[in-house]
Amino acid sequence: MQTHHATRIEILIEVPALKALSRQLDRSGVTGYSVLPVLAGQGRTGPWTREGEISAAGGMVAVVAVVACERAEGVLDSVFEVVSRHIGLVSVSDCRVVRPERV
Amino acid sequence: MQTHHATRIEILIEVPALKALSRQLDRSGVTGYSVLPVLAGQGRTGPWTREGEISAAGGMVAVVAVVACERAEGVLDSVFEVVSRHIGLVSVSDCRVVRPERV
Amino acid sequence: MQTHHATRIEILIEVPALKALSRQLDRSGVTGYSVLPVLAGQGRTGPWTREGEISAAGGMVAVVAVVACERAEGVLDSVFEVVSRHIGLVSVSDCRVVRPERV
Amino acid sequence: MLDLALQNLASPIVLSFVLGLVAAGLRSDLSIPEAMAKGLSIYLLFAIGYKGGVEVAAAGFDMRLALALVVGVLLSAVIPVLAFFLLRVMTRLSRVDAAAVAGHYGSISIVTFVAASSLLQSQGVDFEGWLVAVAAVMEAPAIATALWLARGRSAGVASPGVPWREVLLNGSIVLLLGAFLIGWVTGPSGMAEVEGFLVVPFKGVLCLFLLDMGLVAGRNLLRSRKVLSAGPVLFALLMPLLGAGLGLIAGLLLGLSVGGVALLATLAASASYIAVPAAMRVALPEADPAVYLTLALGVTFPFNLAFGISIYLLAAQTFGG
Amino acid sequence: MLDLALQNLASPIVLSFVLGLVAAGLRSDLSIPEAMAKGLSIYLLFAIGYKGGVEVAAAGFDMRLALALVVGVLLSAVIPVLAFFLLRVMTRLSRVDAAAVAGHYGSISIVTFVAASSLLQSQGVDFEGWLVAVAAVMEAPAIATALWLARGRSAGVASPGVPWREVLLNGSIVLLLGAFLIGWVTGPSGMAEVEGFLVVPFKGVLCLFLLDMGLVAGRNLLRSRKVLSAGPVLFALLMPLLGAGLGLIAGLLLGLSVGGVALLATLAASASYIAVPAAMRVALPEADPAVYLTLALGVTFPFNLAFGISIYLLAAQTFGG
Amino acid sequence: MLDLALQNLASPIVLSFVLGLVAAGLRSDLSIPEAMAKGLSIYLLFAIGYKGGVEVAAAGFDMRLALALVVGVLLSAVIPVLAFFLLRVMTRLSRVDAAAVAGHYGSISIVTFVAASSLLQSQGVDFEGWLVAVAAVMEAPAIATALWLARGRSAGVASPGVPWREVLLNGSIVLLLGAFLIGWVTGPSGMAEVEGFLVVPFKGVLCLFLLDMGLVAGRNLLRSRKVLSAGPVLFALLMPLLGAGLGLIAGLLLGLSVGGVALLATLAASASYIAVPAAMRVALPEADPAVYLTLALGVTFPFNLAFGISIYLLAAQTFGG
Ligand SMILES: Nc1ncnc2c1ncn2[C@@H]1O[C@H](COP(=O)(O)O)[C@@H](O)[C@H]1O
Ligand SMILES: Nc1ncnc2c1ncn2[C@@H]1O[C@H](COP(=O)(O)O)[C@@H](O)[C@H]1O
Ligand SMILES: Nc1ncnc2c1ncn2[C@@H]1O[C@H](COP(=O)(O)O)[C@@H](O)[C@H]1O
Ligand code: NA
Ligand code: NA
Ligand code: NA
């Protein structure tokens, strides 16, 4: 099966900043992204868990966007505007996709 | 620690098609896969969210299978038979595993 | 945007072993990790699903840690001590991060 | 007439739905966790099935039940044909989209059924408890008709292996029928044990569920505004009335009570937004979910909830009794 | 006095909170699933709003409601200023941190309000049902004040586009006000239909919710032990008393009943741990959540629950009535 | 005898479990969200603990409680030894697998306990409310015995640091004991406040929970069909009877009421499927979960629910009272 090169951007970000990130992604020209829940974590600010949480203030999600390689740089810049003020980790890796028209 | 090359296949697919995909994966000879929930997303058909959903018609999941490199091609072909008729995104990347007998 | 090389470690592990793994990761010197829920899976021991589960005995989670390349080897060794006795799959891949101080 | 409609509109049930719609329209972040929404729906199915069974146990077995099951299957299988032709005439939907939409209208919405029984109860109108079993058997046949309609004469659409087992044994059918049987076996003495859970809080739980449905329907409408043109919307307002007409006739022929006729009309008028969409994604992935979900959940469901069920009750009172 | 406090301390509600605290302190793995915790909070907001509305319907519209809404907004907007100056004097928190904390104390905690009304009820003290609407309008104004305080004279902190729509239409405000309106429209006859859900199990549900709050507060305290110094903790014990004082005066000026005065004092005394933290993460991400969450949820909330609400009731009985 | 068994089999509780089993057997996609299943179990533990505490408050402290706690710990610690030797004789399970299974039978199933108290209640048989505290202390000791049995004489199995804190402070123990203490402190007047939640809907909630357990047990059995041979299954049917015998003797020696004897026998007869499996995955990961989960949840639990509890009650009535 023929595959095409693409870039996988994974953004760990706190829930309250998700709306701003979504707006930014929509503007940055990505064709799509998916939001995965994160249950718990550990970082420099200590451990946290989603269990029992009633406030949306805590908690993180993982936003995954597979984008065409040539667009990755622009998306990253755009994402970073939002993430820089917030707890979050942006990682990028290479991947291959089956349907290039979908990224 | 010695690691061995393998291929990580990640399939974003709508929930109603998950059963068919599972059957296909079982047949394709993968040793295992894991299904992760997706909370929300944005794509060419617009945004969606799992919140409040009562129907299983909406919503997506991420299916992750780490497979031996030599088997990846076959699995991809097999997966694509199901995915092609459905909303979904298949991405593939290289990885290394610690226990090669598990993939 | 400048990015820096890093290593993404993804550990699929059963829920009862998560505490031990967390302790081990905390000791191994990673700066952070995130725990993602897994809904269902299929492996050599057959299929499982989280649905309706009342016991914490079943079920898996995915632990993702992005670590500096030079630390990856040590973290892997350390992780393996816990994982080896448990159902679990450790996969490692290369990635790039935007803020190197966060890994 | 106006009185009944107003009374229905001012019920906590309908107003909760409206609250959900409004919150979605204002883009509030109010939302019900998925697990809670599913939990509420499991509760409602179990409670409504159980109550139906208990009523059969109390009233004794009624031969009309067997007949009504057959009639229910027929209604579910035939209504999509009518809907399909209407859609082809009234709208520009493709054959596949039209077939998918048609399938939804043959099947039923259990919450509409529950809202109608609530209205009957508050009006002091009796009905046959076993109609809930008829509701269960009406869920699936429409799917078969829809697939048959979609195939058409051409072989354009491949006919994938429809997972009939999944469709017939889908969770809501099994839960509804299972609870019905449990209620039947345990009868009024079993009911005495569990009514603190299945009866006492029922209406309030229904309010929360309708709040969620309002949120989901409202967000759906917001997203699908552009997809909707006048034709499909008109269809989604007309079709329930036609379906109700068929249900009414069937109910009168079956010799049901006034309440029973109203409920069978409601079932025929209602459109599925749980079982059928899921089946369509599997069997007819080419059909656009934005169209069928929006019509069933965003137009027909609110119409039935706010006006339909009052109309069907009045019609039943006029022609029946 | 001691009697009232002891009776309150030995209530199932307070003890459930203590159980959560203890379980967290012992590092037990007891936990409430997130979806369940959110579900419980949706239930509580809906029930408390609905009951308030029904009481307005029963008692007839009261012009003081309009006045009280204005007073509520003012209290919420002004209390943070007082809190901010106290914090700058009593603690070494940065301007931004102090502003963020101050915002929490202007806003309200609906569970504290519910616990106080529970206490009133068990003491046979009446109150104005529409105070729940005042609670809803007190949620947001404090946020504006906090942001204004954070900006200061310097331009050090960028002023990001605060999502006012999100803040004003946040889920808990919409749900509380929406349920209030539904209760008002449907009145006592609507209540008769849903009280099996909204009234009968209410206190027990509150216990489970407080168990969860105890767990969350306890884990929070464990994590933030090091962040807490004497200054902020003292503030978190003193501020509710000052806030309550303002609320008391406002209540007396409004001519509320003794119960109403106690509840307005409670609202002014309570600190938000749901709406405001979320808004602060968006609008003031520089502020440290460990500080404001721990003070609001880990210190002030337990203080109010265990002692505050008894004190405010006694004060209202002394000065009011 | 037959009468009692039939009455029990036709209860909504048992039939709900059967519905779950059947749905799983038919491979229906009916399922209860994880958060809801956990929520139901938290509710049941809280309610049952609370009720037990209230009964102690009402009846006054009973010295036999202290004695019964000791006896409970002993039963839990000793039963695994008996189970282990039976397993080694009757089955070909490895030492580690046999030890893990044995641990499950020393510990208890709180739902079996609840189902038995339901049966007692419907038969009008009284029992000591504080037995729920005995249930709580019986959860963990069996785990220690199982690990000791697994180690054997050889050093083949490494002895990992067993997380005793986690085991002893596991959520269900803390919740059960905590609620028991709260019930004890607040007594009947506290109960009056919360019974609309903890008592009124209790049996119905239990039905939904058993529906879930039926689904989980049924899917488990489907998956593990091949693992099961006659030996282990026979063990899983015989062992509860032996355990019940020990519990019966202990209950008679303690001088419990007829209902109390039946409940202690039920506790001894029941096998854990929540706390022990989780502990075994941590401390004995070499043991096969398919074996111990299937025996405890798929064989012994249904057996006790359908037949065991009736048998234990009859035995208690024959030998006690
Ligand atoms: N290196 C990392 N790998 C994976 N997740 C991380 C990493 N660093 C931080 N996180 C996640 O981000 C959250 C906040 O991180 P921090 O701001 O460092 O406390 C943590 O609790 C984790 O969930
Ligand atoms: N490039 C992408 N990266 C990540 N997720 C995607 C991407 N494209 C689509 N998705 C996911 O697939 C869903 C359906 O996509 P679409 O068919 O384009 O509307 C979206 O809502 C996302 O959850
Ligand atoms: N190759 C794999 N790729 C992704 N997930 C896997 C893989 N192998 C195992 N798993 C996950 O680990 C669980 C246990 O695997 P096993 O021990 O092989 O039964 C499975 O049910 C999957 O959730
Ligand atoms: Na219909
Ligand atoms: Na306040
Ligand atoms: Na036992």
Side-chain angles (χ1 to χ4, degrees), chain C residues 15-25 27 82 86, chain F residues 166 282:
Chain C
V15 173
L18 179 60
K19 268 201 185 168
L21 177 62
S22 302
R23 275 192 295 261
Q24 195 75 353
L25 282 169
R27 271 190 240 116
V82 173
H86 283 283
Chain F
E166 276 169 43
V282 175

Side-chain angles (χ1 to χ4, degrees), chain A residues 52-56, chain D residues 29-33 36 208 211, chain E residues 32-50 109-112 114 132 139 170-177 179 197-198 202 204-213 216 273-275 301, chain F residues 197:
Chain A
E53 279 306 331
I54 39 181
S55 157
Chain D
D29 68 352
L30 178 59
S31 73
I32 310 279
M36 179 183 178
L208 274 196
L211 172 65
Chain E
I32 310 277
E34 187 192 8
M36 180 183 178
K38 292 213 167 124
L40 295 175
S41 109
I42 288 168
Y43 167 84
L44 293 175
L45 289 167
F46 192 80
I48 190 86
Y50 194 93
S109 146
I110 200 73
V111 179
T112 312
V114 170
V132 66
E139 285 217 39
N170 102 46
S172 56
I173 297 180
V174 169
L175 189 51
L176 204 53
L177 286 183
F197 180 60
L198 297 184
F202 186 82
V205 176
L206 187 57
C207 287
L208 273 197
F209 189 72
L210 278 165
L211 171 65
D212 180 57
M213 289 206 46
V216 173
Y273 41 81
I274 299 190
F301 176 74
Chain F
F197 181 60

